[in-house]
Amino acid sequence: MKTLVWFLFGVAGGFVMAHFMNKDPRGHEILADVDARITEFTDRIADAYREQESRFAGLVEDARDAAAETVANAQAAASDAAGSASETARKLTD
């Protein structure tokens, strides 16, 4: 509980300091620079995330296509085998 109180005191103190810093033109400039750097960092992270997301989407689509092709080939092979077995059975019964 004591740690939580100190944490909240630190957060409140930080807001107060930022408010006083923002009133001074030099402090305002420093805070604007920090804000610009944070914005640049978050934009880069977001771009990297979107790039990875598109890569994964492409990989998933490729895997889905390969699986669909494999299923189609297996169905065709099973159909051919069933047809051959049926024809062979018919020949044996004749």
Side-chain angles (χ1 to χ4, degrees):
M1 189 67 177
K2 184 179 179 182
T3 306
L4 179 63
V5 170
W6 279 109
F7 175 74
L8 293 176
F9 181 72
V11 170
F15 278 114
V16 169
M17 290 297 294
H19 178 72
F20 283 123
M21 246 180 108
N22 198 29
K23 285 184 177 182
D24 182 35
R26 292 176 301 185
H28 183 75
E29 186 178 317
I30 290 171
L31 289 176
D33 184 44
V34 168
D35 184 49
R37 288 181 185 205
I38 289 172
T39 302
E40 180 184 357
F41 175 76
T42 56
D43 288 345
R44 285 185 182 184
I45 295 295
D47 290 343
Y49 175 80
R50 286 187 203 101
E51 184 179 332
Q52 278 297 100
E53 187 178 37
S54 67
R55 285 183 189 169
F56 286 144
L59 290 174
V60 168
E61 189 163 324
D62 291 346
R64 186 181 307 138
D65 291 344
E69 184 179 336
T70 301
V71 167
N73 290 340
Q75 286 175 341
S79 177
D80 290 345
S84 295
S86 172
E87 188 177 316
T88 302
R90 198 172 336 126
K91 284 182 182 177
L92 288 176
T93 57
D94 287 340

